[in-house]
């Protein structure tokens, strides 16, 4: 199972924050990995979610345009509330990480 956020520009990603649903089912996300990719090429494995919390912060760096959450094994359900990506778009000279403009992919649609 996976979900991808495709950014509108290639960016130097500095941090990814995943917000879990607060009202139920937080444990469903356990085992999910967060990855930085450039297209389909893996750039950085940010880590794996191992506890049922409300939010997860991954301080990882990599230059790419895709954030992917992936979980091996049986297909199930996640209850993700939000994914925030912080970094620097390659076209803007700035030093402070800020949210980069992103977009959503339909589940399973990677064209």
């Amino acid at each position: 199972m996976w979900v991808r956020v495709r950014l509108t520009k290639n960016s130097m990603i500095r941090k990814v924050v995943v917000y879990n649903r607060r009202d139920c089912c937080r444990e469903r996300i356990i085992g999910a990995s967060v990855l930085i990719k450039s297209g389909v090429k893996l750039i950085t494995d940010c880590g794996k979610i191992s506890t049922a919390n409300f939010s997860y912060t991954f301080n990882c760096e990599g230059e790419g345009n895709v954030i992917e959450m992936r979980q091996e094994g049986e297909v199930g359900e996640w209850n993700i509330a939000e994914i925030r990506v912080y970094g620097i778009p390659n076209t803007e000279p700035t030093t402070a990480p800020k949210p980069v403009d992103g977009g959503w992919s339909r589940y399973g649609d990677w064209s």
Side-chain angles (χ1 to χ4, degrees):
M1 178 167 59
W2 56 266
V3 64
R4 292 184 179 120
V5 177
R6 198 177 326 182
L7 306 176
T8 58
K9 295 180 183 176
N10 205 36
S11 301
M12 185 57 181
I13 297 165
R14 302 275 173 89
K15 178 169 73 171
V16 178
V17 182
V18 178
Y19 293 92
N20 208 356
R21 188 172 156 173
R22 289 185 171 261
D23 58 345
C24 84
C25 316
R26 290 188 313 256
E27 70 283 349
R28 291 179 180 172
I29 201 169
I30 293 174
S33 295
V34 177
L35 311 169
I36 297 174
K37 290 186 165 186
S38 182
V40 296
K41 180 182 175 191
L42 175 64
I43 302 299
T44 305
D45 184 340
C46 296
K48 187 178 277 194
I49 295 172
S50 60
T51 59
N53 295 330
F54 295 127
S55 67
Y56 310 88
T57 300
F58 296 91
N59 292 306
C60 56
E61 293 192 9
E63 187 173 338
N65 66 336
V66 174
I67 299 299
E68 179 177 294
M69 287 185 61
R70 172 174 294 280
Q71 188 169 18
E72 302 299 327
E74 293 184 33
V75 174
E77 295 176 327
W78 287 337
N79 294 100
I80 301 168
E82 185 176 357
I83 300 172
R84 287 190 183 190
V85 180
Y86 294 85
I88 302 168
N90 286 346
T91 58
E92 295 180 24
T94 183
T95 57
K98 61 181 183 178
V100 293
D101 185 23
W104 290 95
S105 295
R106 288 189 352 236
Y107 181 79
D109 179 20
W110 186 243
S111 50

